[in-house]
Amino acid sequence: MNILSQNTAFGGMQGVFSHASDVTGTEMTFAVFVPPQAIAEKRPVLWYLSGLTCTHANVMEKGEYRRMAAELGLIVVCPDTSPRGNDVPDELTNWKMGKGAGMYLNATEAPWAENFQMYSYITEELPALIAEQFRADMNRQGIFGHSMGGHGAMTIALKNPDRFQSCSAFAPIVNPLTADWTQDAFEKYLGADRAKWREYDACALVEDGARFPEFLIDQGKADSFLETGLAPWKFEEAVKGTDISLTLRMHERYDHSYYFISTFMDDHLKWHAARLESL
């Protein structure tokens, strides 16, 4: 693991690191905030997955999470959104595909399958590195994210309910099978058989029997992607009649930006901490 930067913030450490990934076949970069409490004891881990076009840096620079994470004693891990490098496949004129648009899935189609294994990277390889290098309590993990990252957080939680104890999302893509900005990428990554897409769709996973205790979703009503890309009411409909608890909060005037995310970041951190500290 290479140290790219380390800075003190609110008594803790904000670091940016890189490592050679066996899963993606590339050098991967990620950020970690370690709270001051980790000097003395292992602390819960909260994963934040970013959205389309983003890197680890978007939430690190604009998410405003460090003050509250330090107060609550949360380790916050912010991975990149895709593999990167000159040899990694990409579509330069399509921001919904390729670099910055890994969709948190394991691609099965050429040329994407060789590098775009983000599901395995997030759920297997990077957690092993975090457990080895930081004072992290891997028995207490939560996950959240924004947009594409909200999709990733929800699907990963639904598929790994024994690993994660909490999950929330800002403006998530809850139904990629029908969203206008994911169908093209899903077909290129996973092939034309839509039955295979269901493994990475929160609504479909619930319909197919996957369960997670509860979700918190915040969504801005002024989000330009609300109707065709996000549609959180579809997930609300999917969990009806199940034992899944959903808190869906719709906010007037808020859009899809980090102004929205930073406004409600403290709420999410407190929500996760309450569930992780109770274990």
Side-chain angles (χ1 to χ4, degrees):
M1 189 178 75
N2 303 309
I3 300 173
L4 302 184
S5 66
Q6 286 183 312
N7 299 94
T8 300
F10 299 99
M13 183 277 296
Q14 175 66 69
V16 179
F17 309 91
S18 69
H19 72 112
S21 169
D22 293 330
V23 170
T24 68
T26 65
E27 191 79 3
M28 294 295 291
T29 300
F30 62 96
V32 181
F33 176 72
V34 181
Q37 297 90 331
I39 295 173
E41 61 181 359
K42 289 186 175 183
R43 298 304 303 164
V45 179
L46 184 56
W47 297 81
Y48 179 89
L49 306 185
S50 290
L52 285 163
T53 75
C54 293
T55 70
H56 68 281
N58 293 75
V59 69
M60 186 181 76
E61 295 170 357
K62 298 183 287 188
E64 301 181 20
Y65 59 83
R66 278 174 289 270
R67 180 187 61 80
M68 185 55 65
E71 181 179 321
L72 298 170
L74 295 172
I75 294 175
V76 181
V77 181
C78 308
D80 201 348
T81 53
S82 76
R84 299 183 191 270
N86 294 334
D87 297 328
V88 173
D90 195 19
E91 292 188 1
L92 295 177
T93 61
N94 183 6
W95 60 274
K96 303 172 185 176
M97 186 71 199
K99 296 177 187 177
M103 298 293 175
Y104 302 103
L105 50 73
N106 284 344
T108 58
E109 304 299 302
W112 313 100
E114 182 176 352
N115 304 115
F116 284 76
Q117 300 294 311
M118 288 302 294
Y119 177 81
S120 292
Y121 177 72
I122 296 295
T123 61
E124 298 173 16
E125 188 175 37
L126 189 54
L129 186 63
I130 296 299
E132 176 186 300
Q133 296 290 337
F134 300 93
R135 199 179 291 271
D137 184 349
M138 304 305 283
N139 292 317
R140 293 186 290 168
Q141 295 186 70
I143 189 167
F144 68 148
H146 170 231
S147 195
M148 178 184 72
H151 137 75
M154 293 174 69
T155 55
I156 288 171
L158 283 163
K159 293 166 69 172
N160 299 273
D162 295 332
R163 178 180 299 185
F164 297 97
Q165 289 77 46
S166 58
C167 180
S168 70
F170 302 99
I173 306 170
V174 300
N175 192 201
L177 276 75
T178 63
D180 65 351
W181 56 358
T182 48
Q183 293 182 65
D184 179 59
F186 268 48
E187 183 166 351
K188 289 175 180 176
Y189 285 141
L190 301 172
D193 183 0
R194 288 186 168 230
K196 297 178 181 178
W197 300 11
R198 298 181 69 84
E199 185 179 351
Y200 301 105
D201 183 298
C203 289
L205 283 167
V206 171
E207 292 169 3
D208 293 344
R211 294 293 181 266
F212 196 78
E214 58 180 332
F215 293 91
L216 167 65
I217 295 176
D218 276 312
Q219 173 66 61
K221 288 187 177 182
D223 192 322
S224 60
F225 303 110
L226 179 58
E227 296 291 335
T228 58
L230 306 173
W233 47 83
K234 292 184 177 180
F235 190 71
E236 188 174 38
E237 185 64 28
V239 302
K240 285 183 178 177
T242 74
D243 57 356
I244 298 173
S245 175
L246 171 64
T247 300
L248 173 58
R249 307 192 304 185
M250 303 293 294
H251 302 280
E252 299 285 351
R253 303 190 308 279
Y254 283 95
D255 58 18
H256 201 68
S257 71
Y258 268 88
Y259 296 110
F260 159 62
I261 296 169
S262 62
T263 299
F264 299 102
M265 179 62 78
D266 281 4
D267 288 357
H268 284 245
L269 294 172
K270 291 176 182 177
W271 194 84
H272 285 278
R275 285 147 184 81
L276 298 175
E277 286 293 349
S278 65
L279 299 175

